[in-house]
Amino acid sequence: MDTFETLKTLNSCFGPSGCEDEVREKIAELAAPFADEIRTDTMGNLIVVKHAAPHPSASRTPSPQGEGAPRLMFAAHMDSLGMIVTFIEESGLLRFGAVGYVLAQNIVACPVRFKNGVCGTVGMDEDSKKPEIDKMFIDIGAKDREEAERLVKKGDIAIYDTPCRMLAAPGKAGAKGKADKGRVVSPYIDNRAGCVAQLLALEKLRKPVFDCSFVFTVQEEVGRRGAKPAAFGTDPQYGIVCDCTLTDDLPWTKHVGTSKVGGGASIKVMDKSVICHPEMTAALKAIAEKKKIPFQTDVLTWGGTDGSEIRKNASGVFTGGVSVPCRYVHTPQEVCSIADIEAAASLLAAFAETKVNF
Ligand SMILES: [Zn+2]
């Protein structure tokens, strides 16, 4: 699977929280050649199962459940932010509310599109001193309410309609003189990048020692609502969340995080929703060192991830996280590094193939 092409494909899918169907179908199609089993739960979470490889000394074929191998759940959310139509003005302009943490200042003049292909741009009321969502509208070019209502209904959701592009040419020398695979700008790197990392990890897996559930969760952006039922359903002893993390590599960053774009897979210590199990953090670091996978430390005093729901499942789960550092998170133009996505994928796969003793 090509990392950039897969990211671009997933970014072209419509998938705001609660409407993840298109992303789910595409991920299921991409995962199918490498999966033992694929199912969707009632919430809409996509669960891609890869059973533990039979032990070489096993005298008979193991059960489909992998002869009691420990269960490992990976989680990357596939939903995105959106803007939901609440009112259609006489003029044909659409008032909307936020689905997830959409910041008004990030969406001024943003191109958007609805599931049916209707496109628009985000405008502001003239008297708005500072952007506020309830003083903004989507202009789909309709001349009046009647025309707008033929195209869009109340409750329809718009998503960012910005392109997914490479920023730096592949192969160009990076800061350390090594070939840099380049950085990409795109909407919804949070968290299609995590979905790509999980797909690449699934593709890489040869001899997992865990029964692995690669879960592509729904409704993370509206409060991590998908991960909890997914954890309940897969009942893991071990969990790894793969999501984007905020970076600390821009002039205005205030050290709320520790990650840098291009610094490798970022091994989570905590975010505002979860404190990872120290054994998991240590194991991930040790594996990254052993396999020479570039890594860094992810401490984020802000934000939240599906890791919180996995960590608290049942009587507790050994949970860690592997993050993809992302600049301008939740804007229509997020930036990350292709090499970081690939490092995250390598680390997920390497963990699944390593026995842990806790
Ligand atoms: Zn996210």
Side-chain angles (χ1 to χ4, degrees):
M1 243 176 272
D2 179 81
T3 310
F4 173 67
E5 289 303 326
T6 311
L7 184 64
K8 201 171 168 185
T9 302
L10 295 188
N11 264 304
S12 70
C13 297
F14 184 87
S17 307
C19 309
E20 298 88 353
D21 314 42
E22 259 186 39
V23 200
R24 180 170 53 241
E25 278 162 32
K26 184 49 78 181
I27 292 173
E29 186 189 311
L30 293 168
F34 313 104
D36 291 329
E37 187 192 318
I38 298 184
R39 62 180 194 272
T40 301
D41 69 13
T42 311
M43 284 299 288
N45 296 303
L46 180 74
I47 299 154
V48 177
V49 177
K50 181 83 181 169
H51 290 304
H55 192 272
S57 66
S59 55
R60 60 189 178 86
T61 317
S63 72
Q65 281 72 40
E67 287 274 282
R71 290 178 302 279
L72 169 62
M73 170 180 168
F74 293 106
H77 71 86
M78 55 183 171
D79 63 312
S80 76
L81 304 174
M83 290 144 277
I84 188 162
V85 176
T86 53
F87 186 78
I88 301 178
E89 301 271 3
E90 194 60 53
S91 62
L93 300 174
L94 317 175
R95 298 290 176 178
F96 63 93
V99 177
Y101 195 67
V102 178
L103 285 176
Q105 67 264 31
N106 290 340
I107 59 168
V108 178
C110 177
V112 299
R113 77 170 194 276
F114 289 87
K115 192 171 188 178
N116 62 2
V118 168
C119 293
T121 183
V122 178
M124 261 196 309
D125 291 352
E126 258 184 84
D127 61 355
S128 295
K129 301 262 186 317
K130 80 181 211 324
E132 284 174 55
I133 283 182
D134 58 8
K135 291 180 185 148
M136 299 175 97
F137 51 81
I138 295 171
D139 185 347
I140 54 168
K143 64 179 186 303
D144 55 24
R145 178 181 285 160
E146 203 186 322
E147 189 177 4
E149 282 176 341
R150 276 203 300 274
L151 297 165
V152 169
K153 305 276 177 275
K154 284 180 191 173
D156 286 354
I157 302 177
I159 59 166
Y160 303 154
D161 193 28
T162 41
C164 177
R165 288 194 182 119
M166 287 304 300
L167 284 176
K172 206 172 157 187
K176 287 177 189 157
K178 279 171 73 178
D180 190 334
K181 292 188 173 191
R183 296 179 181 185
V184 59
V185 64
S186 175
Y188 306 132
I189 282 175
D190 173 17
N191 186 32
R192 305 290 156 78
C195 296
V196 172
Q198 287 197 169
L199 283 168
L200 294 174
L202 176 71
E203 185 188 32
K204 279 175 197 288
L205 265 192
R206 290 295 168 265
K207 288 187 174 167
V209 298
F210 295 89
D211 259 340
C212 300
S213 294
F214 289 86
V215 183
F216 299 86
T217 62
V218 294
Q219 298 191 34
E220 191 270 353
E221 296 289 6
V222 288
R224 311 185 290 276
R225 297 178 196 170
K228 193 181 173 74
F232 180 86
T234 54
D235 190 26
Q237 293 106 326
Y238 302 88
I240 296 179
V241 61
C242 185
D243 201 342
C244 289
T245 190
L246 277 69
T247 61
D248 190 42
D249 58 1
L250 290 166
W252 47 265
T253 46
K254 293 179 183 148
H255 314 306
V256 295
T258 54
S259 304
K260 293 185 180 1
V261 168
S266 204
I267 297 172
K268 188 177 284 295
V269 174
M270 66 165 274
D271 58 45
K272 213 172 176 182
S273 73
V274 64
I275 295 174
C276 293
H277 197 285
E279 298 260 31
M280 283 296 287
T281 309
L284 285 162
K285 284 188 176 170
I287 292 166
E289 265 165 13
K290 190 168 169 224
K291 303 272 180 184
K292 299 192 166 43
I293 301 166
F295 73 96
Q296 53 188 322
T297 300
D298 180 19
V299 178
L300 185 60
T301 55
W302 208 75
T305 58
D306 281 343
S308 63
E309 306 310 302
I310 306 170
R311 185 86 175 88
K312 295 179 291 187
N313 191 56
S315 53
V317 173
F318 290 106
T319 302
V322 176
S323 309
V324 176
C326 180
R327 289 180 179 172
Y328 326 115
V329 170
H330 286 195
T331 75
Q333 308 250 49
E334 301 177 325
V335 168
C336 78
S337 146
I338 291 289
D340 290 347
I341 300 176
E342 292 175 354
S346 298
L347 187 49
L348 299 182
F351 185 91
E353 291 178 339
T354 307
K355 277 205 167 68
V356 293
N357 48 16
F358 53 91

